Amino acid sequence: SQQGEEDPQALSIQEGENATMNCSYKTSINNLQWYRQNSGRGLVHLILIRSNEREKHSGRLRVTLDTSKKSSSLLITASRAADTASYFCATHPDDKIIFGKGTRLHILP
Amino acid sequence: DAGITQSPRHKVTETGTPVTLRCHQTENHRYMYWYRQDPGHGLRLIHYSYGVKDTDKGEVSDGYSVSRSKTEDFLLTLESATSSQTSVYFCAISMGLAGGFGEQYFGPGTRLTVT
């Protein structure tokens, strides 16, 4: 896998269900971030987790980080139609930032 | 979009012509970035700036140059546009936490088509 690769590429769930997407990376990192992008718009920062943190919450978002497995997961609970978007992880190894290709999330009514 | 504007929002240009995209911020943030977003590649960093007249290359800097003469403006120039530079270009800013690679705020994007 490349640095910052999301899985799955696309996900469709019913409104009200939880959505989980994963990010894997190759090299050690200083932090990992998750962003959301609505169609035709710029990215919006959701949450940043540092390499010495294991879990972080923000509203309906829960992010975990497992540095031993070089992976992170983003959980969105009680999904809403407005959560339909693409979600990107971004890793920060050394003096660079690398974005993954994203997970397209579609919330079905 | 966090006090960030990009101009133009859409541009169509011919191969071989120079093109300049402008990013303007009202947040007085130290760091500014230019990315391109292409299907199948995600978001890739072109250049970034960590202060007036201080810039550095990103992952895909060939064929691009940047300038920052004022805190609020960051210009991206395609010296001689090629069809491979057809893309959506995003500007971003940050306060510079985590060595400049912490939380970033993105502009609305510029869709550039090179014919």
Side-chain angles (χ1 to χ4, degrees), chain A residues 19 27-28 33 35 44-45 61 74 85 108:
Chain A
T27 64
S28 61
Q33 302 173 59
Y35 288 82
V44 174
H45 184 268
L61 306 180
L74 170 67
L108 304 168

Side-chain angles (χ1 to χ4, degrees), chain A residues 31 33 35 37 40-45 48 88 92 94-101, chain B residues 1 9 35 37 40-43 45 48 90 98-99 101-108:
Chain A
N31 66 57
Q33 302 173 59
Y35 288 82
Q37 184 180 35
R41 306 289 297 275
L43 279 70
V44 174
H45 184 268
L48 180 152
F88 297 87
H92 169 34
D94 300 325
D95 59 346
K96 59 182 71 170
I97 184 167
I98 302 174
F99 284 82
K101 297 177 184 178
Chain B
D1 289 315
R9 293 293 312 280
Y35 293 90
Q37 186 175 34
H41 288 279
L43 214 65
L45 181 63
Y48 67 99
F90 286 99
F101 296 105
E103 181 176 346
Q104 298 185 20
Y105 304 93
F106 282 78

